[in-house]
Amino acid sequence: MATLIHTLADHSDDVNYCAFSSSCLATCSLDKTIRVYSLSDFSELPYSPLEGHAYAVHCCCFSPSGRLLASCSTDGTTALWDSRDGRRLAVLQQPGASPVRVCRFSPEPTCLLAGAADGSLVLWNVQSLKLYRSGKVKGGSLMACAFSPNGNFFVTGSSSGDLTIWDDKMRCLYNEKAHDLGVTCCDISSHPVSDSENGFKYFQMASCGQDNQIKLWLILFADFLGVQLKYKCTLNGHSAPVLACAFSCDGQMIVSGSVDKCVIIYETSTGNTLHTLSQHKRYVTTCAFAPHSPLLATGSMDKTVHIWQLDLKQPCAGDVRNESKVAVEDWSEDDVSAWLCAQDLSDFVGLFKMNNIDGKELLNLTKESLANELKIESLGLRSKVLQKIEELRMTTLSVSVPDEFLCPITRELMNDPVIATDGYSYEREAMENWISNRRSSPMTNLPLHSLMLTPNRTLKMAISRWLETQQK
């Protein structure tokens, strides 16, 4: 069982990454800050937030001892901070000043890896603050990296879909095309697995990508055999690109976060789904297990970080949070009352009971019936109730919503689709909010040549026809 025990809502923009040490949790955001919290009570440390980056902070990580905190940014730098008092110790400039997408400490605490949008990767010596080694991936941005537990090698993932294995001298040992549409994240378990047939020990690796998949791999690293990367299996469950994946400290679980706004926890040995968590309202961009406690952190474009307590003793296969076991159309009036309370609409319980609103009646409510029959006078309240009902309708559809009908930003069914100059269609309100803060495409991250939005009437008609067929 996974229980939501705390929500951190201090960032003013998308949360990009979260990382644990033995005593702290660090989060970073598009708002250019890094925030650090105590694990004892999730209070923000006195020196937090850490400020100094000129643009969005994409990634943060702790050193093995937890004394150093690294952060990297679109400003082309990786910063080193003292996690005890928040002092900035160094600013490391990426060669070429390309936006730095990912950073990771080696198990050998003197090395820090930083990877950038131009494909460059750098190993820094954090004691001398000098560049130790550098390299470059071919044909894409560097999006992910992970060290082996012994520090002898590391793996990078790129936007071109490649996984590349490097040794600690930055020599390329192996390359594999893993995800057709690009790798978004990868992680290596700290617990190797044994091959009883040959007596070898393999490192387990997980990777995820824009193809909606999580793939599990086995890496064999031996002097006499070189490097072998063996595909193990694919974990399906997400309906949209998977942006984050991570192993638990003991290697027995894998967690993933996706554009579909869900977090899924899998059992590593079987690939079975243990939990599906659906509390985030926007893309889930990051997830991390705590190293020495049964805690999980998940961060999202909804600007929040959720902290989950995992009860590892209770059976949890198939546990799905926020989903009713009874079909909505079969709800009783009491079920509707419980739903109203859960949606912070408890003021309407009496009104709905008086009008005998059960599940079937609930799904048939319109803005006209809310105003004329239920006499809800406030336009704002009617809109709020109708929005919640519309969300509920989407969960009752007998088939999944076609992906082309979903807004790429919100992953919700579009009501007023518009075409942007990048050629993609978005929900008008979501895209207007997006371009009010940035001038890049949500899909390609490339600059938008114009902020003009054109109504997509053809798509709107197609969505209307599809909804009519579902209602029949």
Side-chain angles (χ1 to χ4, degrees):
M1 184 175 181
T3 304
L4 180 61
I5 60 172
H6 206 91
T7 296
L8 306 172
D10 299 305
H11 285 294
S12 60
D13 211 329
D14 303 354
V15 175
N16 285 332
Y17 205 82
C18 58
F20 282 102
S21 70
S22 58
S23 60
C24 296
L25 169 69
T27 65
C28 61
S29 166
L30 280 182
D31 66 11
K32 310 176 192 175
T33 69
I34 306 101
R35 293 182 179 269
V36 187
Y37 303 86
S38 168
L39 292 189
S40 60
D41 58 2
F42 301 107
S43 61
E44 196 165 5
L45 297 186
Y47 61 73
S48 181
L50 300 175
E51 298 175 312
H53 284 294
Y55 298 107
V57 185
H58 291 291
C59 187
C60 59
C61 61
F62 287 99
S63 64
S65 68
R67 292 183 179 179
L68 293 179
L69 173 64
S71 61
C72 59
S73 166
T74 302
D75 63 15
T77 69
T78 302
L80 282 176
W81 312 82
D82 189 321
S83 65
R84 294 166 294 184
D85 56 19
R87 286 183 299 121
R88 188 166 66 176
L89 304 175
V91 177
L92 307 172
Q93 181 73 49
Q94 191 81 3
S98 180
V100 187
R101 311 291 301 189
V102 63
C103 58
R104 198 75 77 241
F105 280 100
S106 165
E108 290 292 328
T110 56
C111 285
L112 173 67
L113 179 67
D118 64 356
S120 66
L121 58 155
V122 173
L123 272 175
W124 297 97
N125 184 308
V126 296
Q127 292 181 338
S128 66
L129 303 180
K130 301 292 186 183
L131 190 152
Y132 171 61
R133 291 280 192 276
S134 63
K136 194 165 187 177
V137 298
K138 295 180 180 179
S141 298
L142 204 146
M143 306 299 292
C145 66
F147 275 96
S148 65
N150 58 14
N152 287 346
F153 68 91
F154 62 90
V155 177
T156 59
S158 74
S159 60
S160 64
D162 290 350
L163 289 172
T164 306
I165 303 176
W166 311 76
D167 69 9
D168 55 3
K169 302 295 190 295
M170 200 70 84
R171 293 177 294 202
C172 179
L173 304 176
Y174 191 91
N175 191 77
E176 174 92 11
K177 192 74 169 180
H179 295 271
D180 289 340
L181 304 176
V183 178
T184 53
C185 189
C186 63
D187 192 29
I188 298 177
S189 171
S190 57
H191 284 256
V193 293
S194 297
D195 176 0
S196 56
E197 183 178 341
N198 299 308
F200 297 139
K201 284 194 173 182
Y202 291 89
F203 294 99
Q204 294 186 95
M205 181 178 71
S207 64
C208 58
Q210 299 283 352
D211 55 7
N212 305 3
Q213 296 180 339
I214 304 112
K215 293 184 178 181
L216 298 187
W217 310 81
L218 297 175
I219 303 174
L220 175 64
F221 189 79
D223 292 336
F224 61 95
L225 288 175
V227 173
Q228 294 182 1
L229 180 66
K230 291 187 175 183
Y231 167 77
K232 183 181 177 184
C233 65
T234 295
L235 304 179
N236 295 305
H238 288 293
S239 60
V242 186
L243 302 182
C245 62
F247 282 100
S248 60
C249 187
D250 59 8
Q252 294 184 17
M253 294 183 291
I254 300 169
V255 63
S256 59
S258 167
V259 168
D260 64 14
K261 300 183 275 191
C262 288
V263 175
I264 301 179
I265 304 174
Y266 301 91
E267 185 178 38
T268 306
S269 59
T270 64
N272 292 336
T273 298
L274 301 178
H275 306 279
T276 300
L277 312 173
S278 54
Q279 272 80 348
H280 282 296
K281 297 177 181 177
R282 292 290 182 266
Y283 299 2
V284 180
T285 53
T286 178
C287 46
F289 286 102
H292 304 302
S293 57
L295 295 176
L296 169 69
T298 60
S300 166
M301 286 177 66
D302 63 15
K303 308 175 189 177
T304 69
V305 176
H306 289 331
I307 310 297
W308 305 85
Q309 178 87 41
L310 301 174
D311 186 350
L312 304 181
K313 296 180 181 179
Q314 293 191 6
C316 49
D319 174 39
V320 179
R321 309 282 300 176
N322 265 5
E323 294 187 13
S324 173
K325 296 180 181 178
V326 180
V328 177
E329 56 266 28
D330 296 329
W331 280 4
S332 66
E333 293 177 23
D334 288 337
D335 290 330
V336 172
S337 297
W339 174 79
L340 287 169
C341 292
Q343 304 303 315
D344 197 24
L345 297 170
S346 55
D347 290 346
F348 295 102
V349 169
L351 177 64
F352 276 54
K353 272 190 170 292
M354 186 168 54
N355 286 272
N356 304 116
I357 304 295
D358 58 13
K360 190 173 182 179
E361 291 291 332
L362 180 69
L363 293 175
N364 289 328
L365 289 176
T366 63
K367 69 180 175 183
E368 289 79 15
S369 60
L370 290 174
N372 302 329
E373 297 173 24
L374 297 186
K375 307 297 183 185
I376 299 177
E377 296 180 358
S378 168
L379 176 61
L381 288 176
R382 287 203 304 271
S383 298
K384 182 177 180 181
V385 174
L386 201 61
Q387 179 185 351
K388 295 296 183 182
I389 293 173
E390 187 62 34
E391 291 173 2
L392 196 60
R393 287 191 185 113
M394 290 302 98
T395 69
T396 68
L397 296 177
S398 57
V399 295
S400 59
V401 180
D403 199 64
E404 61 268 24
F405 294 169
L406 299 176
C407 171
I409 298 173
T410 65
R411 296 301 296 175
E412 295 172 355
L413 188 68
M414 286 185 278
N415 179 57
D416 185 12
V418 294
I419 304 173
T421 53
D422 62 358
Y424 292 95
S425 292
Y426 306 90
E427 177 63 29
R428 179 183 294 277
E429 182 180 0
M431 191 58 183
E432 287 176 345
N433 288 336
W434 179 277
I435 60 180
S436 68
N437 296 314
R438 48 183 84 79
R439 294 182 64 94
S440 60
S441 163
M443 294 296 286
T444 67
N445 207 32
L446 296 173
L448 292 170
H449 303 299
S450 167
L451 301 184
M452 184 176 67
L453 302 176
T454 305
N456 191 336
R457 295 185 177 87
T458 302
L459 180 57
K460 187 171 184 176
M461 290 175 61
I463 293 172
S464 297
R465 286 195 296 268
W466 180 80
L467 283 172
E468 288 173 3
T469 62
Q470 292 304 307
Q471 290 167 358
K472 292 177 183 177

